[in-house]
Amino acid sequence: MPETTAREFPPGFLFGAATAAYQIEGAAHEDGRRDSIWDVFTKVPGAVINGEDGEIACDHYHLYQDDVALMASLGLQTYRFSTSWSRVRPDGGALNPKGVDFYKRLVDELLQAGILPWLTLYHWDLPQALQDRGGWTRRETADRFTEYALDMHDALGDRVDVWTTLNEPWCSSFLGYTAGLHAPGHYSRSEGMLAAHHLLLAHGQTVRALRARDSSLDLGISLNLTVADPADPAEPADVDAARRIDGQFNRWFLDPIFRGKYPQDIFDEIADDALRAAITPGDLEVISTPIDTLGVNYYHGEFVGGSPPATPPGSGDAPTQRRGQSPFPSSENIFWHDRGLPRTPMNWEVQPEGLTRLLVRVSDEYAQPAGTSLIVTENGAAYDDEPVLEDGTIRVHDHERADYVRLHLGAILDAVEAGVDVRGYFYWSLMDNFEWAWGYATRFGIVRVDYETQERAVKDSGIQYGRIIASRILDSETTAGVSPSPDAAA
Ligand code: GBH
């Protein structure tokens, strides 16, 4: 529904869009780049729908100038992207100057367009050479990461102020090493926990190293956080299922980073000898090095119970179902229930109110007491877009995505009204791209990409976003007329 009253975004609130290197760059073996774990994982039969990979993706490596021009035309104030470790240090070790040069060109282009570069050092693409030596299950990988981060700072420290160490370490560790759904495609609870610890360590020691270089940098991490609700709040087993989901998605990362401690309840339940041995004295002190900004990635909440629902909620996450594996180290007796919320074609619930609650909670319990800023670094939805040709122009009337964006921006304003300081919002994603295990059919962009021609076309949701950015107001003026939803048009 359109907003009835005009709501203004706070001064300084940043509007942006996000991408990640492997999902858009292509040029996977150009200018010295070598395999990351995703180049290898995508070759495993059945790992990705239709066997697709990021070899060409959106060819952003060659089209970055056009893409920055597109960002400028949308009025984006900031652009969140990641740098590819295997471009910069193809074997995880020695520097590849040509790889670094690409990011220098990209950042220069952004700065020229007046767009703030929001740089993420790791969005899941570990150099395969490091995986061959054990990847994130090895402590040494954290040291290699810090060296790579310092290379990037050598190259870009004079031009980039905002540095995010990791994107969603939960995914890198538990989807990658435990559930087998992401690279490197392992099925080990123990490896997942080791990976999570070493990722957190890599984060903490890199924050320290970068801060030692330049105390004025804005340093942080982006976490995939969620809201877990019990199917029946009066049913202890359901409440317990929600506690464990919250513990493993949220507190397993927030507590070490902000409190220097793993959450005791979850630790007692899942920590094995290997993890206990891997945590050496001082690790949690390093991991809890203060950060300036916490990035919140929010897509959907979790509605769970301790026993299966009478009717299962839709088809479930397709790749999860295909493998029949659970991503959690301790997920016995956790079942997803249905509460009648709308769902995207990926079967993800649309629950904007969850974002409000999440921001309030994370602010109250973690960020605010630590003096850390909050920003939404990812939020978005994939829908079955139907491109149409109108007067020679490709249009996508993606009213569901436009609604999704408007509802979540409204949810952020609700949090702001509740007293939460939110620095801004990045829509995921700037453009359709390689959606990991889902391949290219799953489209998240506010810009459509034609993978045959690499032609870009701004979708209606992008036009709406541009209007919101220009006016800094959420109301029926900025959001109407772009792509009326069927009931609004009636
Ligand atoms: C983000 O992660 C990624 O950062 C981005 O690269 C990606 O393109 C984007 O989302 C869209 O998917 O329990 O296996 O059913 C998404 C975080 C956390 C969302 C886990 C789905 C349920 C996965 N995800 N969640 S599963």
Side-chain angles (χ1 to χ4, degrees), residues 83-86 88-96 100 121-122 126-127 130 133 136 138-156 163 165-166 198 201-210 213:
T83 53
S84 157
W85 189 346
S86 34
V88 174
R89 285 176 163 241
D91 294 310
L95 181 77
N96 171 33
V100 184
L121 287 162
Y122 187 71
L126 183 74
L130 294 180
R133 282 177 257 153
W136 287 112
R138 290 253 324 238
R139 194 179 174 92
E140 286 71 15
T141 301
D143 298 333
R144 299 293 87 76
F145 177 75
T146 303
E147 293 162 6
Y148 149 66
L150 291 174
D151 281 349
M152 295 311 297
H153 182 265
D154 285 338
L156 297 171
W163 297 74
T165 53
L166 309 175
H198 295 139
L201 196 63
H203 157 74
Q205 69 184 35
T206 301
V207 168
R208 286 195 172 183
L210 289 173
R213 281 278 181 90

Side-chain angles (χ1 to χ4, degrees), residues 20 23 123-124 167-168 170-171 175 181 224 249 297 299-300 317 320 327-328 346 348 378 428 433 435-436 444:
Q23 295 181 271
H123 199 124
W124 309 353
N167 178 70
E168 303 185 349
W170 180 89
C171 294
L175 292 182
L181 290 167
N224 54 299
F249 275 107
N297 294 0
Y299 289 86
H300 56 78
D317 176 270
T320 310
F328 315 111
M346 290 170 89
W348 293 3
E378 283 183 31
W428 180 274
N433 58 46
E435 178 50 31
W436 308 113
F444 272 88

Side-chain angles (χ1 to χ4, degrees), residues 139 142 165-166 169 193-208 211 220-221 223 251-263 267 275 278-292 294 372:
R139 194 179 174 92
T165 53
L166 309 175
M193 289 185 276
L194 285 176
H197 184 67
H198 295 139
L199 280 153
L200 283 165
L201 196 63
H203 157 74
Q205 69 184 35
T206 301
V207 168
R208 286 195 172 183
R211 186 154 288 144
I221 187 168
L223 301 176
R251 292 184 284 122
W252 194 257
F253 296 91
L254 288 168
D255 283 21
I257 291 170
F258 286 97
R259 299 176 179 165
K261 202 177 180 316
Y262 281 108
F267 191 85
L275 175 64
I279 304 174
T280 63
D283 281 5
L284 281 143
E285 216 180 304
V286 172
I287 292 170
S288 59
T289 301
I291 54 173
D292 304 290
L294 173 67
T372 298

Side-chain angles (χ1 to χ4, degrees), residues 16-19 24 60 67-68 70-71 74 76 79-80 427-433 444-449 457 459:
T19 63
I24 66 163
H60 172 75
D67 290 336
V68 172
L70 197 59
M71 296 173 212
L74 288 167
L76 299 188
Y79 171 56
R80 176 174 179 260
Y427 179 76
W428 180 274
S429 175
L430 171 68
M431 56 184 149
D432 297 338
N433 58 46
F444 272 88
I446 47 174
V447 172
R448 181 174 177 85
V449 175
K459 302 178 191 178

Side-chain angles (χ1 to χ4, degrees), residues 279-362:
I279 304 174
T280 63
D283 281 5
L284 281 143
E285 216 180 304
V286 172
I287 292 170
S288 59
T289 301
I291 54 173
D292 304 290
T293 301
L294 173 67
V296 174
N297 294 0
Y298 174 81
Y299 289 86
H300 56 78
E302 324 291 332
F303 189 59
V304 292
S307 49
T311 18
S315 57
D317 176 270
T320 310
Q321 270 228 327
R322 231 172 46 240
R323 300 295 183 85
Q325 296 278 328
S326 159
F328 315 111
S330 161
S331 52
E332 290 82 9
N333 304 320
I334 296 180
F335 300 90
W336 272 259
H337 288 238
D338 191 49
R339 50 185 152 182
L341 288 172
R343 289 172 184 264
T344 73
M346 290 170 89
N347 203 33
W348 293 3
E349 289 182 340
V350 178
Q351 192 201 358
E353 159 284 322
L355 178 56
T356 309
R357 262 196 290 151
L358 177 62
L359 290 169
V360 169
R361 186 254 181 128
V362 172

